[in-house]
Amino acid sequence: MSEQFRPSFLIGLEDELKKIHHLSSEYYSNKLKVWLYLPLFEKILSSEKQNIIEAYTSELSFDFINSIGNSSLEGFTPKDLERIECVLNSLNTLPFIKSSIPQLEKTICKVSEWNKKLNDVLNGNENNCSEKNLLIPLLESYNYDKAFFGLLETITVKINKSKDSDNFLIVPSEKELEQMLEEQIKVSWQNAKEYAKKFVDKTDQYYDIMIHFNKRTGFCRGNSLGAALTIKFIEELLGYYNAKYLVQSVDGIAISGGLSEDGKILSVGSEIIRRKTELVFFSDVTHFVVPKQDESAARSKLNELLTIYPQRNLKIVAVEDLEDLLSRRNIVSITKQNPVVRARNFVRKNIYTTLIIILLTAIFTALLTVDLDNNPALVTMDGQNAYIKNKNGKVLWQIYYPYDTKYFLDQRNNDSFFKVLDVNNDGSNEVIYVKSRFKEGFILDEVGAIWCVDKNQNLLWEYKFLDTVYSEREDLSPIYSLYIIDSVTYKGEKVLFFRANNASSFSSAISGLTIKSGKRISETFWGSGHTAAVLLRDIDQDGIKEIIGFGLDNGYEDAVLWISKLNDFDGYRLTKQEYIIKGKKEANLISYLRIPKNDFERWAGFRTPGAEPNSLYFKDDIKMFSFTIVNYKTIEANPSSRIHMAIYYLDTNYIISDVVISNNFRVFRDSLVAQGKLNPPYTDTKEYKEILINNVLYWKDGKWLRKEEFLK
């Protein structure tokens, strides 16, 4: 019996058809459907049974032809395209198909024309890319074990001003964003905003950002679009602000690579970049930008393909960081906008504003040149000076205030040193600030102090932190570094809370000053390790704020997080006996957690994890606290090797419920696992995150317990 007459032949067809039907209900591309349809149609059309051909082609041809029409064809080899064209031509000979699917001939022309163009490209006869947009190679997997060659995606970005937060809308979006992709979008956006500041003097604080995937249904995962997305964000930001200079990617460019918070282009992995190189090779792209770490694998795959098509003109461009990428004029152009076009764009975008400006210019000229408001409203810092400004942004005076600029990435860090508020309710603001202990690159041997000055810079009060406390290990005397937390009403008075870290040893304190007099309150919370961040927040909505603190404990040699009521926070935080602050009562804590060193920190010999300063946040959208663990790549603690490791999420039941691994740490630790220096699992995996979560210790009934025991 002929194979096609056997029942197994029809069963085989039905099994392959089930795979395709499965795709229709999941998040897969039309191109993958074409790829799976192709052998099925070849098998059907090879049948000698006309009834089989008619039955299956009548049912499946419309979806097959429609999938081709809605697919981009890059990544298919000439041999693949010839197979597709052969199937389409065979279908065109069937009268019942030709009459019922009028777009068939148009689809045949599409495949034929692309096949001709691709052959011209592969033979070195054409160097023009048909796509006038930045291309992002995306791979698609099916059943988790078959990697499909994917497609070259393009994206469109649109931004508008937002009131109170950055909001990202992904179109189309079929499910919740993968965590790594969501994190990468935010990192790319921050990098783009920082870069745009070079060309735009004043920008909005928050935006609504729409990211539209032009070719697909949003199946992008991972962080490999980070570099390309950053360029698109920069393009749109400069266009939005009608900047003097515009940034635009050159035609015929494909880019793959994630982007770290400090602008490094992140590896996507050797196998992935080889597959993406093959995808790009069978397209009309002229330049493929890859991470420097992946250059060798990309060139190896390119050379392999060039043995078959030696005339293919594809350049591999390896870049290390965003600055390197944006400096390549064969990849990105930076051009000065035509003044006439720029003016026209401004008028078009701001027609009513323009009319008002024209009508009122004469009236406001004098007012704009004379700003008589001398009431302090805000403070900005640039690493050398602090600028006290009025509500219009006019500098009223400045204070020499040198500090490392990496700590001034957002307003929260500025708020650790300056607070502007009306101390005596007279309608004029005063400035309370931590007196700087830095001068010309050196730390002064001075006691930590907080000053309050009026709008005329007259000193109203000064407070110096002079406490000496004791432990079995050592006497703990000043000097302390001071940091402002926040001002709240405490026992009927307005009080400015602050934290203090001993400059030469391990003790730390949290206390408060009445803002009218600078007199210190009687309560102080003592810790045996430096405090990195503190929040004051009413978590349980009972009208009394909680103190949420994050930092280190030198006794336990762990990072710690603790919570207490603001009306009952006096005392010391529990630690090992020799580190306990003597002469104080043990503080009453609602919750107390220890975050131990991870396997890398233990392997490298670090005494404690690292607690990122001012990284403690409450995220209203998910009702969770978050804090960041950092450290260095080497025990020498070189600032250039500093690396964010993970963000921990604490729910309002005070349980660590999630951990987000940073891209930098993932790449760094994975390399150590690959070298056999650290044990698996790899870093950004469910297994490794569970290890981190389950290693956290919780204090309960006089014992330190892991999560499972704590919840019993």
Side-chain angles (χ1 to χ4, degrees):
M1 182 183 292
S2 174
E3 176 63 25
Q4 59 191 283
F5 293 107
R6 295 180 184 275
S8 59
F9 175 80
L10 296 178
I11 293 172
L13 292 180
E14 289 297 324
D15 287 341
E16 291 187 41
L17 192 54
K18 285 179 182 178
K19 293 180 183 178
I20 297 168
H21 287 162
H22 172 71
L23 297 183
S24 301
S25 62
E26 297 292 339
Y27 306 100
Y28 297 102
S29 67
N30 283 310
K31 184 182 283 187
L32 181 52
K33 287 173 70 176
V34 173
W35 184 246
L36 294 179
Y37 263 133
L38 185 57
L40 179 62
F41 270 88
E42 288 173 332
K43 189 178 294 186
I44 292 168
L45 292 168
S46 68
S47 174
E48 298 174 0
K49 296 284 285 183
Q50 189 63 30
N51 60 340
I52 291 178
I53 295 175
E54 184 170 348
Y56 280 97
T57 57
S58 298
E59 177 187 352
L60 305 176
S61 292
F62 179 85
D63 191 34
F64 176 57
I65 293 166
N66 191 56
S67 295
I68 296 173
N70 291 325
S71 296
S72 55
L73 299 175
E74 70 276 350
F76 285 118
T77 67
K79 183 178 179 181
D80 297 329
L81 293 167
E82 288 169 8
R83 290 173 61 198
I84 295 171
E85 197 171 355
C86 182
V87 168
L88 292 174
N89 285 325
S90 296
L91 291 174
N92 201 33
T93 65
L94 303 175
F96 55 92
I97 296 296
K98 187 174 182 178
S99 61
S100 62
I101 307 178
Q103 66 267 38
L104 174 56
E105 290 190 0
K106 184 179 178 180
T107 305
I108 293 172
C109 289
K110 173 182 177 177
V111 177
S112 177
E113 289 172 4
W114 173 252
N115 196 9
K116 181 179 181 303
K117 179 179 176 64
L118 179 60
N119 276 285
D120 286 342
V121 171
L122 295 174
N123 292 318
N125 297 325
E126 182 169 339
N127 293 316
N128 295 320
C129 183
S130 56
E131 179 61 62
K132 306 301 180 184
N133 202 341
L134 188 62
L135 294 157
I136 306 170
L138 299 179
L139 299 181
E140 188 174 20
S141 61
Y142 175 59
N143 282 352
Y144 304 100
D145 60 350
K146 290 184 179 179
F148 182 65
F149 39 76
L151 56 82
L152 294 177
E153 179 63 275
T154 64
I155 54 176
T156 300
V157 173
K158 296 294 181 183
I159 64 173
N160 286 295
K161 184 178 179 180
S162 177
K163 288 185 178 180
D164 52 8
S165 65
D166 285 335
N167 303 301
F168 296 93
L169 173 65
I170 313 300
V171 181
S173 180
E174 298 166 314
K175 56 180 180 178
E176 288 187 5
L177 280 181
E178 182 205 30
Q179 197 168 57
M180 184 182 291
L181 174 58
E182 183 177 13
E183 182 183 3
Q184 179 63 79
I185 290 172
K186 293 177 181 178
V187 169
S188 292
W189 177 244
Q190 290 303 319
N191 274 279
K193 287 202 295 185
E194 286 301 313
Y195 185 84
K197 289 177 182 178
K198 297 180 180 180
F199 303 94
V200 180
D201 293 332
K202 185 178 180 181
T203 61
D204 297 327
Q205 186 173 5
Y206 299 114
Y207 302 80
D208 290 321
I209 307 103
M210 184 196 75
I211 304 167
H212 188 280
F213 289 83
N214 298 325
K215 293 185 180 180
R216 247 299 274 137
T217 52
F219 73 102
C220 182
R221 300 178 180 89
N223 64 350
S224 66
L225 86 167
L229 185 58
T230 305
I231 293 177
K232 297 301 293 183
F233 280 154
I234 292 170
E235 288 180 9
E236 182 62 16
L237 277 168
L238 297 184
Y240 176 82
Y241 286 108
N242 197 26
K244 187 175 182 179
Y245 290 89
L246 298 179
V247 169
Q248 190 169 15
S249 59
V250 176
D251 295 341
I253 304 299
I255 299 180
S256 184
L259 191 73
S260 68
E261 294 172 344
D262 57 358
K264 299 289 189 248
I265 305 295
L266 301 175
S267 167
V268 300
S270 297
E271 184 56 29
I272 296 298
I273 207 66
R274 285 175 61 85
R275 292 181 180 274
K276 290 189 175 185
T277 302
E278 183 173 2
L279 166 61
V280 171
F281 188 90
F282 292 107
S283 74
D284 54 0
V285 167
T286 58
H287 292 75
F288 183 27
V289 181
V290 302
K292 185 68 176 177
Q293 293 170 273
D294 297 333
E295 181 182 11
S296 177
R299 293 194 183 281
S300 172
K301 185 61 180 180
L302 176 61
N303 291 334
E304 177 184 325
L305 293 167
L306 286 173
T307 61
I308 306 171
Y309 299 98
Q311 301 304 315
R312 172 68 166 103
N313 184 20
L314 175 63
K315 305 293 184 185
I316 299 292
V317 182
V319 293
E320 294 184 352
D321 52 36
L322 183 60
E323 183 178 353
D324 185 12
L325 175 58
L326 293 170
S327 67
R328 306 290 185 103
R329 291 297 161 263
N330 60 335
I331 303 299
V332 178
S333 66
I334 301 178
T335 56
K336 187 175 182 180
Q337 194 175 181
N338 184 300
V340 176
V341 175
R342 189 181 182 206
R344 186 168 63 242
N345 290 340
F346 177 85
V347 172
R348 185 184 298 120
K349 182 179 178 182
N350 304 277
I351 182 66
Y352 296 109
T353 303
T354 304
L355 292 173
I356 292 172
I357 290 173
I358 293 172
L359 291 171
L360 301 179
T361 296
I363 299 173
F364 283 101
T365 298
L367 295 177
L368 290 172
T369 56
V370 180
D371 187 346
L372 301 178
D373 182 8
N374 67 344
N375 192 31
L378 59 112
V379 179
T380 61
M381 304 169 72
D382 63 7
Q384 287 298 315
N385 298 293
Y387 302 93
I388 289 76
K389 301 178 179 180
N390 67 12
K391 63 184 179 183
N392 301 317
K394 176 186 175 182
V395 176
L396 303 177
W397 78 83
Q398 67 186 56
I399 302 170
Y400 178 62
Y401 212 92
Y403 214 77
D404 193 332
T405 55
K406 71 184 178 183
Y407 294 113
F408 299 116
L409 298 179
D410 60 53
Q411 189 60 38
R412 280 194 62 184
N413 290 297
N414 293 7
D415 293 344
S416 295
F417 302 98
F418 285 84
K419 188 77 173 177
V420 178
L421 69 172
D422 187 354
V423 166
N424 45 25
N425 297 318
D426 62 354
S428 294
N429 288 334
E430 284 71 36
V431 179
I432 300 177
Y433 67 96
V434 177
K435 188 171 181 246
S436 176
R437 293 180 50 242
F438 290 81
K439 186 174 183 180
E440 297 177 354
F442 296 96
I443 301 178
L444 301 176
D445 190 21
E446 292 183 356
V447 172
I450 296 177
W451 285 9
C452 177
V453 298
D454 66 16
K455 64 182 181 181
N456 298 314
Q457 304 181 59
N458 298 313
L459 181 65
L460 300 184
W461 54 257
E462 176 186 13
Y463 170 77
K464 294 182 178 180
F465 192 87
L466 301 172
D467 293 40
T468 296
V469 291
Y470 306 91
S471 70
E472 289 182 7
R473 185 179 179 86
E474 60 184 282
D475 297 347
L476 300 155
S477 57
I479 299 169
Y480 283 79
S481 296
L482 306 185
Y483 306 88
I484 292 171
I485 298 171
D486 201 357
S487 59
V488 298
T489 300
Y490 179 77
K491 295 185 177 180
E493 287 191 272
K494 197 72 171 179
V495 171
L496 181 83
F497 279 83
F498 68 91
R499 59 185 173 92
N501 289 330
N502 196 303
S504 59
S505 193
F506 61 81
S507 57
S508 64
I510 297 173
S511 192
L513 308 172
T514 59
I515 64 171
K516 282 188 177 181
S517 65
K519 182 180 178 181
R520 184 165 152 193
I521 62 176
S522 59
E523 294 83 7
T524 302
F525 178 88
W526 288 96
S528 299
H530 286 186
T531 303
V534 177
L535 291 181
L536 303 179
R537 187 178 184 91
D538 186 2
I539 303 171
D540 54 13
Q541 302 296 309
D542 65 350
I544 302 172
K545 291 184 181 292
E546 282 79 26
I547 295 181
I548 307 96
F550 168 56
L552 300 176
D553 191 280
N554 285 41
Y556 293 129
E557 298 185 352
D558 291 334
V560 290
L561 186 138
W562 67 95
I563 301 169
S564 65
K565 281 289 185 183
L566 187 59
N567 63 353
D568 187 21
F569 74 99
D570 191 42
Y572 70 84
R573 188 182 69 226
L574 182 67
T575 184
K576 288 189 175 180
Q577 182 62 38
E578 63 178 313
Y579 284 89
I580 288 176
I581 305 300
K582 290 183 176 180
K584 312 291 180 184
K585 67 176 183 177
E586 183 178 338
N588 184 21
L589 300 182
I590 300 171
S591 183
Y592 189 13
L593 288 72
R594 288 166 52 190
I595 299 88
K597 297 179 284 292
N598 59 45
D599 57 343
F600 160 70
E601 291 167 320
R602 295 192 300 271
W603 172 79
F606 287 100
R607 182 184 177 190
T608 68
E612 174 75 348
N614 292 319
S615 69
L616 181 61
Y617 293 89
F618 183 78
K619 298 182 178 294
D620 285 297
D621 55 341
I622 58 175
K623 304 302 180 188
M624 287 190 183
F625 294 93
S626 69
F627 56 90
T628 303
I629 297 295
V630 299
N631 225 313
Y632 298 87
K633 293 182 179 180
T634 61
I635 195 67
E636 290 78 16
N638 187 317
S640 64
S641 71
R642 193 168 182 269
I643 185 170
H644 285 77
M645 293 186 169
I647 301 174
Y648 284 71
Y649 285 87
L650 179 83
D651 63 29
T652 50
N653 294 316
Y654 313 133
I655 300 296
I656 298 295
S657 60
D658 195 13
V659 172
V660 175
I661 305 294
S662 80
N663 290 329
N664 289 344
F665 184 53
R666 172 182 61 82
V667 173
F668 177 63
R669 184 182 172 277
D670 282 356
S671 69
L672 296 177
V673 174
Q675 296 170 44
K677 295 179 180 179
L678 295 179
N679 293 325
Y682 282 98
T683 312
D684 197 11
T685 61
K686 180 180 179 181
E687 291 77 12
Y688 187 70
K689 291 179 183 181
E690 286 297 323
I691 290 172
L692 296 181
I693 291 172
N694 292 329
N695 280 345
V696 175
L697 299 174
Y698 301 81
W699 183 251
K700 181 180 180 181
D701 298 332
K703 296 179 182 179
W704 286 107
L705 306 173
R706 299 197 185 277
K707 180 178 177 180
E708 184 178 351
E709 299 172 296
F710 179 76
L711 293 175
K712 287 181 179 178

